[in-house]
Structures are given as C-alpha cells and as structure tokens.
C-alpha cells in the first residue's frame, strides 16, 4: 500500500491540512497535545514526508511573500557596561556577523541587552513571544549563564561560546586548542625557543583550559622549546608579571593584554629586537600586534546559519545531545615579532 498523503491524515484526524502540516514539522504554533496526536497517527499510518517537496513549497512561499522570514533575538546578558571596552569590540563584531548573515538569509535580528537581575525570565518570555521570536542567538557571558527558566519548547538557541549547561544548547566558538598549536608552530619557525604563556585564570577555566592544554601538549611533542611555567593568575598585574618574567626569562610572551609589552620593556626587553610578543586575541587591543584573530564576525555568521537551520527544521527545545562547532583563528602578522629567519 502507498503511503497516505498529508490530506489523508488531515481528513482522518478531523483537522485542517495546515494544522497537520505544522504539527508534523513540530511547529510551536500547534499545541503540544495536538502535535503528539498527529505525529503518532502519522507513524501508525506509515506517513513519510517528501523533503524535496517541502523545500519546493518553502521556496514558492518565500518568492510570493518576499525574503523576510522572521526575527532572531541577539541576547546579551552582560551588556556593554559590564565588560571592558576592548571586550565589547569582540561582542560587537560577533553581533554584526550574526546580523549581516541573517539579513542575507531573509531574517532580521533584534538586540536584547538584559540584566537578568532586573527582569524575570517570564517577562523575557512574554517579550519574545509578543514579537513572534523563536530563535535566540546568545552572546558570550562572563559567568556561566542560566536560561533554564525560559520556556525552551518555544525556541531554538545557539550559544556563541564554549559551553552552556543551563540548559545545554548547541554552541559555536573559536577553536582555541588548534589556534594555540598554530601559534606555537609559527613561533618555532620564527626562531623563538622560550615561549611564556600568561593567562587570566577565570578566562582559562571558562575555556576548559584549552589554551593551557595545547601549550603544554605542543611542548610535550616538540623538543625545540624550553618548558617554562605559565603565569595563570586571577588578575594579571604589572608586579606579578615582572616577577614571573625575570624568573622564567621567556624570549616571547603569549598573552591577551598588550600592556605586557610595556612591562617587558621595564625588564630590559626590546620588542621585537630581543623579545617577542604574541597577542592571543587581536580584537582586545588597539595597538598593532602580531597574533591571532579569533574571527568573531565569522563566528556570528556561522552561528546564525546554524540557528536558522534549526528554525527551518522546526527543532525547538533543548537538544538531547548538545553539539559544539569550532572555527579556527586566523594568523595576523605584526610589529611585535621578529621577521622570519
């Protein structure tokens, strides 16, 4: 026997063709009980959707109604006033990449800068629902975010950082481990032999120690470097840096903060003549440095592509198995490292 059509299912269930179609696509516009009843009946009847037909109908509807397909919330739980100015540049690029790519795919983005101490999640739910928003692109949060109180049966979400557990959403972030490997390979090629790593401890912990792990692993398998103890402390300060620098004597420093260049000079270093400096995130500094660009605009674009794909598939709710997608960094030449020998 041939598979029943969608209209056959609708007649059997006493529902409209549109309701059955949306229930089979798991659309939140149909209540949960009806969705379950329709999906169960479809399984029993042996109904099979034709994905090519669905794609064709979607494109025909888009052509009739123009390119606008919906609104995506770009959610910022920290806000620009709660993060350093240079870190805010990274977040702006991330949001811009998301907005530009969303527009290319027929979606608009709506920024939401929210202090969760000032607004309840019930109120945030109301705001998002009143604007017909079902996609949430969450910007990185300094502390582990907890959005479990949102009604995720109505939303698809992507977090633009390493890990989110409350709830566990799909995420996209820079490939810090691979990026550190690239950096060390480049420094070895340039003739450096005593690399020293400087990290903020909280930052290291948020990334599950990926910077540190790659730094140590590379040296375990390459004899060219002298192993030096990294400086990983709660707050990177001039005093502690200078003590560490004089004790370990690195010939190149890997750090996020370009202020370290001045501290190196206080210790007698001349950058790049006698010592090098490599920035682990070009977006965080305003002075020219050699280092890596974590490509936040590309991260935003790829993240919103993932989110829109979920919306097209009507994949709402917390995923059973959250996945993390990583994007490699890009090397940037600069005046703080010597030329290749």
């Amino acid at each position: 026997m041939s598979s029943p059509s969608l209209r056959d299912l609708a007649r059997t269930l006493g529902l409209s063709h549109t309701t059955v179609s949306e229930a089979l696509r798991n659309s939140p516009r149909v209540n949960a009980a009806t969705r379950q009843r329709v999906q169960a009946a479809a399984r029993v009847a042996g109904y099979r959707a034709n994905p090519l037909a669905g794609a064709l109908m979607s494109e025909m509807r888009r052509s009739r109604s123009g390119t606008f397909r919906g609104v995506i919330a770009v959610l910022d739980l920290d806000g620009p006033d709660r993060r350093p100015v240079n870190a805010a540049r990274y977040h702006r690029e991330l949001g811009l990449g998301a907005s530009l790519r969303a527009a290319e795919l027929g979606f608009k983005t709506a920024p939401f800068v929210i202090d969760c101490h000032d607004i309840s999640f019930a109120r945030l739910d109301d705001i998002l629902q009143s604007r017909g928003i079902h996609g949430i692109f969450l910007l990185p949060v300094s502390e582990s975010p907890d959005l479990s109180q949102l009604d995720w049966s109505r939303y698809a979400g992507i977090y633009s950082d390493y890990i989110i557990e409350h709830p566990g959403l799909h995420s996209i972030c820079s490939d810090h481990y691979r990026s550190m490997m690239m950096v060390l390979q480049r420094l070895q090629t340039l003739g450096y032999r005593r690399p020293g790593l400087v990290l903020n401890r909280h930052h290291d912990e948020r990334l599950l120690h990926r910077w540190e792990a790659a730094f140590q692993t590379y040296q375990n398998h390459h004899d060219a470097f002298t192993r030096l103890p990294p400086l990983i402390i709660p707050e990177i300060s001039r005093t502690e840096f200078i003590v560490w620098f004089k004790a370990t004597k690195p010939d190149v420093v890997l750090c996020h903060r370009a202020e370290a260049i001045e501290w190196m000079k206080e210790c007698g270093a001349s950058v790049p003549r006698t010592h090098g400096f490599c920035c682990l995130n070009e977006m965080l500094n305003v002075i020219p440095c050699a280092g890596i660009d974590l490509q936040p605009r590309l991260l935003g674009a790829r993240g919103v592509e993932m989110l829109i794909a979920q919306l097209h598939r009507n994949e709402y709710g917390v995923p059973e198995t959250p996945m993390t997608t990583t994007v490699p960094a890009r090397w940037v030449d600069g005046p703080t490292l010597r030329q290749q020998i």
Side-chain angles (χ1 to χ4, degrees), residues 180 184 187 192-199 215 219 225-231 241 244-245 248-255 276-278 280:
M180 176 61 76
L184 293 173
L187 295 178
Y192 294 101
R193 294 297 178 260
R194 297 177 61 86
L197 177 64
V198 179
L199 293 174
F215 183 78
Q219 295 182 85
F225 289 142
T226 299
R227 296 175 66 93
L228 306 179
L231 178 65
F241 177 90
W244 168 83
F245 187 85
T248 58
K249 297 180 173 57
D251 60 0
V252 59
V253 172
L254 292 73
C255 182
F277 176 83
C278 176
L280 295 177

Side-chain angles (χ1 to χ4, degrees), residues 2-295:
S2 62
S3 172
S5 70
L6 192 144
R7 293 187 184 279
D8 292 335
L9 276 176
R11 280 194 295 270
T12 299
L13 293 167
L15 298 171
S16 72
H17 170 272
T18 300
T19 297
V20 171
S21 174
E22 292 190 344
L24 290 173
R25 290 187 290 113
N26 210 34
S27 171
R29 287 191 288 267
V30 180
N31 70 66
T34 301
R35 291 202 307 268
Q36 292 170 6
R37 183 164 71 95
V38 171
Q39 291 165 10
R43 285 193 296 271
V44 171
Y47 172 78
R48 294 289 183 271
N50 184 332
L52 295 179
L56 176 60
M57 292 304 297
S58 177
E59 183 60 26
M60 290 175 63
R61 288 191 293 270
R62 184 198 67 79
S63 299
R64 289 196 301 267
S65 60
T67 59
F68 177 68
R69 296 185 179 184
V71 179
I72 291 171
V74 178
L75 188 57
D76 186 351
L77 298 182
D78 275 350
D81 297 335
R82 296 179 58 187
R83 65 174 64 98
V85 173
N86 292 343
R89 293 175 59 215
Y90 180 90
H91 283 67
R92 283 198 300 272
E93 284 293 301
L94 196 57
L96 181 59
S99 297
L100 291 175
R101 185 57 177 147
E104 292 174 352
L105 297 174
F107 285 76
K108 293 181 179 179
T109 55
F112 286 81
V113 181
I114 292 173
D115 186 337
C116 289
H117 298 292
D118 297 334
I119 184 172
S120 69
F121 285 102
R123 175 58 180 151
L124 178 57
D125 253 330
D126 290 341
I127 294 171
L128 295 174
Q129 288 302 303
S130 68
R131 298 189 58 176
I133 295 174
H134 298 286
I136 298 176
F137 184 73
L138 180 61
L139 296 180
V141 183
S142 56
E143 303 295 335
S144 180
D146 187 345
L147 296 177
S148 55
Q149 296 179 58
L150 278 180
D151 181 2
W152 281 99
S153 66
R154 301 178 175 185
Y155 306 111
I158 292 289
Y159 183 42
S160 54
D161 206 354
Y162 250 114
I163 187 168
I164 178 171
E165 296 179 333
H166 306 291
L169 301 175
H170 296 312
S171 60
I172 185 166
C173 58
S174 182
D175 191 339
H176 298 88
Y177 190 97
R178 179 178 172 186
S179 300
M180 176 61 76
M181 291 289 186
M182 175 184 69
V183 165
L184 293 173
Q185 185 176 38
R186 179 64 66 103
L187 295 178
Q188 181 178 338
T189 301
L190 292 175
Y192 294 101
R193 294 297 178 260
R194 297 177 61 86
L197 177 64
V198 179
L199 293 174
N200 174 281
R201 181 175 298 160
H202 176 64
H203 188 182
D204 189 38
E205 291 170 349
R206 282 183 63 244
L207 299 180
L208 304 180
H209 308 283
R210 280 172 168 82
W211 286 129
E212 182 185 2
F215 183 78
Q216 302 287 8
T217 300
Y218 188 93
Q219 295 182 85
N220 285 343
H221 297 278
H222 295 79
D223 296 331
F225 289 142
T226 299
R227 296 175 66 93
L228 306 179
L231 178 65
I232 303 176
I233 51 179
E235 292 295 334
I236 300 171
S237 69
R238 170 186 171 277
T239 300
E240 289 183 276
F241 177 90
I242 288 176
V243 170
W244 168 83
F245 187 85
K246 289 181 176 179
T248 58
K249 297 180 173 57
D251 60 0
V252 59
V253 172
L254 292 73
C255 182
H256 289 83
R257 294 175 54 182
E259 302 101 296
I261 297 173
E262 293 302 317
W263 303 337
M264 293 168 68
K265 291 178 180 178
E266 290 185 43
C267 297
S270 175
V271 179
R273 187 175 61 83
T274 63
H275 292 72
F277 176 83
C278 176
C279 180
L280 295 177
N281 186 348
E282 287 285 310
M283 194 61 61
L284 299 182
N285 295 303
V286 295
I287 66 172
C289 294
I292 53 176
D293 172 13
L294 298 181
Q295 305 198 86

